[in-house]
Amino acid sequence: ELLVVVAIITMLMTIGLSSYSELMKRSRDTKRETDLRVIQSALQQYYADRGIYPTEIASGSPLNINTGRGEKALIPSAFVRVYLSQIPSEPITGRDSYCYEAQPAGVPSCNNNVTTTPKIDCTSYKLYAQLENLPTGSGICGSGATYNRIVTSP
């Protein structure tokens, strides 16, 4: 009898732990999707003000009107508009964070520089994330990390 009870309890615990694990994965994926929408919204506000996208953004750093400007003149701090006080980070410590890739139309890299020739404005972007409940992706960004969720500029 005791052996049957232990077997039943073990089986129930296994089912419970696997359900909990899936729930946690879905929860983290929901946060990732929300983070991508928040970053995308901030980038659209930046674009509306500047007419270009920033050359780079970094998790944990702010996104303001002076972010990723290349060599364009900085706006005095009293007039700096902040779009995000902090770019969100990947929910699991140690995993590759979200990756941002600024792009011009049809050119491999942009610089937003006034003084560099040729001046290439960042006119679009791709944002990458690695969701847990999707197959491994083929989107490669930054240091070669692979992502399976890609969001592009509208």
Side-chain angles (χ1 to χ4, degrees), residues 29 82 136 146 148:
D29 280 353
V82 176
T136 302
T146 304
N148 60 8

Side-chain angles (χ1 to χ4, degrees), residues 39-75:
I39 296 168
Q40 188 173 36
S41 174
L43 287 168
Q44 287 313 113
Q45 292 173 44
Y46 182 101
Y47 184 82
D49 287 346
R50 302 264 304 118
I52 55 175
Y53 292 104
T55 54
E56 59 186 19
I57 62 173
S59 292
S61 298
L63 175 59
N64 61 49
I65 198 135
N66 287 330
T67 302
R69 296 175 62 93
E71 294 177 15
K72 288 191 175 183
L74 295 178
I75 294 174

Side-chain angles (χ1 to χ4, degrees), residues 84-146:
L84 267 177
S85 60
Q86 186 175 12
I87 302 290
S89 298
E90 159 65 36
I92 298 178
T93 304
R95 281 186 59 161
D96 287 317
S97 196
Y98 307 124
C99 189
Y100 171 80
E101 198 173 62
Q103 301 177 329
V107 182
S109 63
C110 57
N111 55 30
N112 289 345
N113 290 342
V114 176
T115 58
T116 301
T117 305
K119 174 185 177 275
I120 304 169
D121 284 341
C122 301
T123 56
S124 63
Y125 67 85
K126 288 184 180 179
L127 259 176
Y128 298 83
Q130 178 64 44
L131 303 183
E132 295 176 74
N133 280 325
L134 285 179
T136 302
S138 59
I140 298 175
C141 180
S143 62
T146 304

